[in-house]
Amino acid sequence: KTHLLMATAQKLQSEGLSVFYVHTETFTEHVVKAIRSSQMRKFREIYRKSDVLIIDDVHELARKAATQEELFHTFNTLHTGGKQIILCSHLPPGKLEDIEPRLISRFEWGIVLQLHPLAPEKMEEVLHNRAKAYQFPLSDPLAKFIVEKFHTSSKSMLRALEALVLRHKQATELSVEAATRLLADLLDVEKENELTPERIL
């Protein structure tokens, strides 16, 4: 989701809009610093002058009263001015906890989109595109192998591909058997991290 937000910010900037991207933790630090140094006016000027405000991980606002208060007023100012606000969180607005109801209601004003993991075919497509960028010959069977064995997250799949790029020195196509040997350590980590009924119990 963070990559999507960064890509959105770049796209909007390329269209001539002023975009302010910030993580909730950083926003909180800015609020605290501004209060301590009596710089709230400057803080508000910075956060309220952009065409688009993007805030990542708003679920981290939980139990942060001063930050929630400031975000509430910033949100209102930008919304009244017809500006765009993009927020992201691990949960939909209605399931966020320890955040003021008036903020939750504002989060629900816009369109709420849920992100789902990519289907295996789409992930294979992503791997092929990344391999092309690395100028690495990736066969269909090898892409399938990576998706099957490193299915816990897209991050682990991309890490496996990057490991192959670094460990396989030749420009020749790599077999699944050879890849299994080259990725033995990462495959062990994947097995350790895999959720099984026994591990859950």
Side-chain angles (χ1 to χ4, degrees), residues 65 68-70 72-73 76 99-107 109:
Q68 289 184 35
E69 180 71 23
E70 199 48 50
F72 175 77
H73 295 297
N76 284 347
I99 295 177
E100 289 183 32
R102 62 182 183 160
L103 257 182
I104 300 289
S105 75
R106 273 151 183 78
F107 294 170
W109 282 355

Side-chain angles (χ1 to χ4, degrees), residues 47-64:
Y47 273 92
R48 298 177 188 183
K49 72 177 181 186
S50 300
D51 296 314
V52 184
L53 175 64
I54 301 176
I55 304 181
D56 200 353
D57 288 335
V58 291
H59 55 272
E60 291 184 17
L61 284 169
R63 296 179 297 280
K64 293 174 182 164

Side-chain angles (χ1 to χ4, degrees), residues 121-135:
E121 308 79 48
K122 284 286 176 195
M123 198 58 226
E124 285 172 34
E125 200 179 306
V126 169
L127 288 173
H128 278 296
N129 287 337
R130 187 65 66 95
K132 235 179 251 175
Y134 293 145
Q135 296 179 336

Side-chain angles (χ1 to χ4, degrees), residues 88-104:
C88 93
S89 167
H90 289 321
L91 296 164
K95 292 189 178 175
L96 292 171
E97 294 179 356
D98 300 313
I99 295 177
E100 289 183 32
R102 62 182 183 160
L103 257 182
I104 300 289

Side-chain angles (χ1 to χ4, degrees), residues 22 24-44 46-47 64 66-67 70:
V22 69
T24 297
E25 193 180 322
T26 308
F27 182 80
T28 302
E29 286 169 14
H30 290 169
V31 170
V32 171
K33 195 174 174 184
I35 291 169
R36 284 184 182 156
S37 59
S38 302
Q39 295 282 318
M40 285 310 291
R41 182 184 226 158
K42 190 177 178 185
F43 167 88
R44 287 169 185 148
I46 292 167
Y47 273 92
K64 293 174 182 164
T67 308
E70 199 48 50

